[in-house]
Amino acid sequence: MPEWRFVIAAYVVTWVVLLGYALRLARVRRKADDLLAEARADVSEFQT
Amino acid sequence: MEAAAHTLPPTVPRSRTLSVLAWTWPLILLAAQAYAFSISPPDRDMGHLQKIMYVHVPAAWNAFIAFFIVFVASIAYLWKKNERHDLLAASAAEVGAVLTALTLILGSIWGRPTWGVWWTWDPRLTSTAVLLLIFVGYLSLRAFTEDHERRARWSAAVGILGALNVPIVYMSVRWWRTLHQVQSSPATVDPEYTWGLRLNAIAFLIVLIYFVRTRYNAARVERAAEQRLDAAALSGGGTNA
């Protein structure tokens, strides 16, 4: 049935977009963690 | 300065609920979609294409919810000048833009077999595209404005104006003669599809909450770390001067 092609395409697109954004969020989180580590090291260095 | 170092968390905070949601949102969404597929018979006119409703409509509703958060948080920022409100608005705007883009793509996939075209300048489609463009502009504005206070003030203004477009998008199918059908809701769809639609809307809402909260937590930590680095640089820290 040709209509199923569109249904499958819609669900595939949905999952690609949502999982893609979840992966982007994981990268943003890691970047924030790195920045945090940098800030902590910078402040600690200043204290010494 | 010692206190300053200790006030920074070791990593981006994540509550227990958020940690659980990180793994469960795909399962919840998958379960809601499986349920909707299992209970909904083919539509008289559209056949199985009706099943696209379970992703297209919840994506649109939740984009509207995200922009409502932008609206409230932006007003709160202009009123209280609390940076947390600005970061919440920015986080919700990003997620709202993703969901609006998804809504447009899904609408296009649904439109091709039902209307015969991938895209038409219908008021509903056009106003949704304008909504997306406004929030892409909002995110670009934030990316290119260095001064934090100015960035927050300008984006609050754009966020409020952008969110005011939501009622226009929602009502466009009633105000103008459009190709797009009237709003899909449990009140307007066949009772056989109601629970599938409700459950998928709730599943998308859980996804929205997880995305916005995770983005907001990361944004707050980024901002705190930036402020600390700026303060250290201004007072000669980092270079040990």
Side-chain angles (χ1 to χ4, degrees), chain B residues 91-112:
Chain B
S91 306
E94 189 177 291
V95 179
V98 170
L99 290 178
T100 307
L102 179 62
T103 303
L104 282 172
I105 298 168
L106 294 173
S108 181
I109 294 171
W110 200 357
R112 182 68 184 85

Side-chain angles (χ1 to χ4, degrees), chain A residues 3-4 6-7 10-11 13-15 17-18 21-22 24-25 28-29 32-33 35-36 39-40 42-43 45-47, chain B residues 1-2 5 8-9 11-12 26 29 33 37 47-48 51 54 94-95 106 109 211 215 221 228 232 237-238 240:
Chain A
E3 65 194 45
W4 274 107
F6 292 97
V7 176
Y11 280 81
V13 165
T14 301
W15 280 98
V17 169
L18 295 182
Y21 187 68
R24 184 191 129 72
L25 281 183
V28 167
R29 231 178 95 87
D33 280 341
L35 196 64
L36 205 53
R40 290 175 71 86
D42 207 55
V43 173
E45 194 182 339
F46 180 53
Q47 287 163 18
Chain B
M1 289 305 281
E2 196 173 345
L8 288 172
T11 57
V12 175
L29 190 60
Q33 290 176 353
F37 264 66
H48 289 292
K51 290 175 175 60
Y54 301 124
E94 189 177 291
V95 179
L106 294 173
I109 294 171
F211 281 176
R215 187 68 191 89
V221 163
R228 203 71 81 219
N240 264 354

Side-chain angles (χ1 to χ4, degrees), chain B residues 160-203:
Chain B
I160 291 167
L161 286 175
L164 287 176
N165 193 27
V166 169
I168 297 173
V169 174
Y170 186 76
M171 293 306 294
S172 60
V173 286
R174 294 196 187 271
W175 287 346
W176 296 288
R177 188 188 294 270
T178 69
L179 191 58
H180 194 285
Q181 65 188 66
V182 292
Q183 301 98 331
S184 297
S185 75
T188 59
V189 303
D190 191 281
E192 282 187 292
Y193 305 135
T194 305
W195 271 103
L197 183 58
R198 278 196 182 126
L199 285 180
N200 277 279
I202 292 167

